[in-house]
Amino acid sequence: MKLVNGQSLIGTPVLDEVEIARARHLLVHVQSHDGPVMKLYLWDQAARDFCKKFKSYENTPTVLLVTTVNTKSLGGTLALTSMSSSRVFMDYDVQPTIDYFGWLGSNPQSAERVDAEVVTKRETLTIGEILSYIKQGSTKGQLGFFECTATMVHGSTWYYISCSGCNTKATKGPTSLMCSKCGKVNISGVAQYLLYTQYSVTL
């Protein structure tokens, strides 16, 4: 492991379980045996298992084994995503992690190999700052990858009733709701609420 939610292992990462539970995932940068640094996204139960195991170790664990993951490419970088059947193991949990931990001890240069373009920290930015970055990046030929976290605010005073088919604001008819876009009467209405969003950017 290289980074846990953007924190270096050297500084003993502090895992905020409340925040991780709210976000439902955490991000771990992992160095593969003979390959590149990859981004590993642990979701839901896998994220909770990671936190529990990580905190149970007296010394900061460095070896991670996760079973059953999906692979995909994000911006040319290989990324791994946990599944509901994924299981998490660390340093001395099972024989494969014990063997790899021993191999790292004999090959310390492998633990120091880092791809700076992949191992990056997240920064929380305003929409204005993201727009400014995009404008500057387009002139310099740079690429940025953005992640948006949204929170549905139930009970908000800002909402409207929409058509369940097309989400257009519904209008009141004599006896039912109508949709001007679909041209239908007696539609099923769905409440559309205010959405708060938070953006982070990987530079």
Side-chain angles (χ1 to χ4, degrees):
M1 290 184 281
K2 296 296 184 182
L3 298 176
V4 178
N5 266 1
Q7 302 176 71
S8 171
L9 297 186
I10 297 174
T12 310
V14 177
L15 301 182
D16 186 341
E17 293 186 71
V18 174
E19 175 59 25
I20 291 171
R22 186 193 65 78
R24 295 183 50 217
H25 77 282
L26 60 83
L27 171 62
V28 183
H29 285 80
V30 292
Q31 172 73 58
S32 56
H33 189 285
D34 290 315
V37 172
M38 296 176 288
K39 293 179 179 180
L40 170 63
Y41 294 88
L42 298 175
W43 289 87
D44 299 323
Q45 188 60 49
R48 291 190 290 271
D49 290 345
F50 180 93
C51 289
K52 183 178 180 180
K53 285 182 177 289
F54 194 89
K55 290 186 172 183
S56 70
Y57 273 83
E58 183 176 343
N59 296 318
T60 303
T62 56
V63 174
L64 176 66
L65 170 64
V66 180
T67 64
T68 320
V69 293
N70 273 332
T71 59
K72 57 184 177 180
S73 179
L74 296 176
T77 300
L78 183 63
L80 308 174
T81 305
S82 68
M83 301 170 64
S84 59
S85 57
S86 296
R87 297 183 64 193
V88 177
F89 303 97
M90 294 182 187
D91 290 2
Y92 299 107
D93 288 346
V94 290
Q95 193 59 49
T97 55
I98 293 172
D99 292 343
Y100 191 69
F101 192 81
W103 180 85
L104 278 179
S106 303
N107 298 272
Q109 70 281 358
S110 296
E112 297 172 0
R113 190 176 62 224
V114 176
D115 184 345
E117 292 184 357
V118 176
V119 180
T120 52
K121 291 187 177 182
R122 292 181 176 183
E123 297 180 44
T124 300
L125 304 175
T126 65
I127 294 177
E129 289 171 328
I130 291 176
L131 182 60
S132 175
Y133 171 78
I134 292 173
K135 288 180 178 178
Q136 292 175 3
S138 63
T139 61
K140 298 177 182 179
Q142 295 177 326
L143 292 175
F145 302 96
F146 302 91
E147 178 181 285
C148 172
T149 302
T151 303
M152 183 70 73
V153 183
H154 291 285
S156 169
T157 56
W158 187 95
Y159 75 96
Y160 66 92
I161 303 300
S162 72
C163 169
S164 59
C166 67
N167 294 327
T168 300
K169 186 175 181 179
T171 55
K172 288 184 179 180
T175 58
S176 64
L177 292 174
M178 301 184 299
C179 177
S180 58
K181 184 175 181 180
C182 295
K184 296 179 181 178
V185 296
N186 198 25
I187 63 169
S188 297
V190 177
Q192 301 289 344
Y193 290 95
L194 174 66
L195 199 65
Y196 287 117
T197 58
Q198 176 179 312
Y199 297 85
S200 63
V201 58
T202 299
L203 302 177

